[in-house]
Amino acid sequence: MTDKVYPSSKPNASTAATKNPKLPPPPMKAQLYNQNRHPYRPNLTSYHRKRRHGLRRCFCLCCFWSILIVILLLLLATISGCVLYLLYHPHRPTFTVASLKISQFNLTTATDGTTHLTSQLNLTVSTKNPNKKIVFHYDPIAITCLSDGTQIANGSYGNSFTSNPNNITILRSSLSSNSLLLETETVNQMRSDLKKKSRLPLKILLDTEATMKIESFESKKIGIRIKCEGIHSLTPKAGGGKSNSSSSSVAATVSDAKCEVDLRIKIWKWSF
């Protein structure tokens, strides 16, 4: 009895290797290196250009909004001013020189040729508030008397006061100078004016600050300068000698005097 031989289910190793041979790995590609090739550098020009463009855009936007805000503020201020004017019809206060008396006016020339002035003046000014619903509160007033641009006396009205609607306030003050040194040209001009019929031209300056009150609203202090011109003194006869003096009180002509009120608005270090 013979044994039967059955074929094996497992494939023969040599046969499998023949059918599926292992391929060798592909060869490595050689990396080419060029010594003349420039190294890679990022393009910074376009980056800086974009950055400058962004900064310029932000700056333009800031300028635009700033100008727009300023325009809106000016528009609101204009509208508020128009409404205020329509409701209250505000007017500037008026000032008038009621009288000016010169009690002393001495020009004395020393041996060294210098000339000094000693003067005493009494000034009366009236101020009127022409408004119906606006009240003015004034600080003390500094007063200066000039002749041809040269100061000859100064003084002040040292009290604060209130000018109510449709009210007239009388201000009296004394101006003086003591041995005030004058230039030769100024002295010659004064002596020439004293010989004329029109006599010595005088100008009065009043400087103060005031607030304006409308019902419950009160503004900030605003500088005010009052310039009064057209005044001429009526001093007694004076010769052209070494000393010109006036001992008696004389009145100045104020019939042609006109006073102008200027608002002196201060912004930072500048006054307008």
Side-chain angles (χ1 to χ4, degrees):
M1 184 176 183
T2 60
D3 294 333
K4 293 182 179 181
V5 179
Y6 295 93
S8 177
S9 60
K10 295 183 180 180
N12 192 0
S14 60
T15 307
T18 305
K19 292 182 179 180
N20 298 319
K22 291 183 178 180
L23 299 176
M28 299 293 294
K29 293 182 178 181
Q31 295 183 357
L32 300 178
Y33 178 76
N34 188 3
Q35 295 181 353
N36 297 326
R37 183 180 180 182
H38 296 284
Y40 171 75
R41 294 179 182 177
N43 191 0
L44 298 179
T45 305
S46 59
Y47 170 76
H48 289 301
R49 187 182 298 111
K50 292 180 179 179
R51 186 177 181 183
R52 286 197 299 268
H53 180 71
L55 294 175
R56 190 182 300 111
R57 183 179 180 183
C58 293
F59 178 76
C60 293
L61 288 176
C62 292
C63 291
F64 171 76
W65 285 109
S66 300
I67 294 173
L68 183 61
I69 291 173
V70 171
I71 292 175
L72 290 177
L73 291 176
L74 293 176
L75 183 61
L76 291 176
T78 304
I79 294 174
S80 301
C82 293
V83 172
L84 180 66
Y85 180 79
L86 293 175
L87 291 177
Y88 299 100
H89 297 282
H91 297 280
R92 295 185 181 185
T94 59
F95 287 79
T96 304
V97 177
S99 66
L100 176 63
K101 294 182 179 181
I102 304 175
S103 58
Q104 186 179 9
F105 194 87
N106 298 335
L107 284 173
T108 304
T109 303
T111 55
D112 57 355
T114 59
T115 302
H116 297 80
L117 171 65
T118 301
S119 61
Q120 184 72 35
L121 296 82
N122 295 318
L123 175 66
T124 302
V125 177
S126 64
T127 175
K128 181 181 179 181
N129 181 3
N131 300 283
K132 296 181 179 180
K133 297 182 180 180
I134 301 177
V135 179
F136 293 103
H137 298 283
Y138 292 92
D139 285 351
I141 302 176
I143 307 174
T144 306
C145 182
L146 307 172
S147 178
D148 292 325
T150 301
Q151 177 180 323
I152 62 173
N154 61 1
S156 64
Y157 183 81
N159 299 325
S160 302
F161 65 96
T162 300
S163 180
N164 294 313
N166 295 321
N167 187 33
I168 297 177
T169 305
I170 304 299
L171 311 176
R172 293 183 175 88
S173 178
S174 296
L175 313 178
S176 63
S177 64
N178 186 14
S179 296
L180 182 65
L181 180 63
L182 301 178
E183 296 181 356
T184 303
E185 295 180 358
T186 302
V187 174
N188 295 334
Q189 184 64 39
M190 283 186 178
R191 286 175 174 165
S192 176
D193 292 334
L194 289 172
K195 295 178 181 180
K196 298 178 182 179
K197 293 182 179 180
S198 59
R199 299 300 181 177
L200 194 67
L202 299 176
K203 178 180 179 180
I204 304 296
L205 295 180
L206 298 94
D207 293 294
T208 185
E209 291 184 342
T211 59
M212 182 179 64
K213 185 176 182 181
I214 304 174
E215 296 180 356
S216 61
F217 170 77
E218 186 172 359
S219 68
K220 294 184 178 181
K221 289 184 178 181
I222 300 176
I224 297 178
R225 164 164 284 191
I226 301 98
K227 296 184 291 185
C228 300
E229 298 179 312
I231 307 171
H232 294 82
S233 66
L234 298 175
T235 56
K237 292 181 179 181
K242 296 293 183 181
S243 176
N244 295 337
S245 65
S246 168
S247 59
S248 61
S249 179
V250 295
T253 303
V254 296
S255 57
D256 297 331
K258 294 182 180 180
C259 296
E260 179 181 353
V261 180
D262 294 330
L263 301 180
R264 299 176 63 83
I265 300 174
K266 188 174 184 179
I267 300 177
W268 194 246
K269 297 181 180 180
W270 299 275
S271 298
F272 301 91

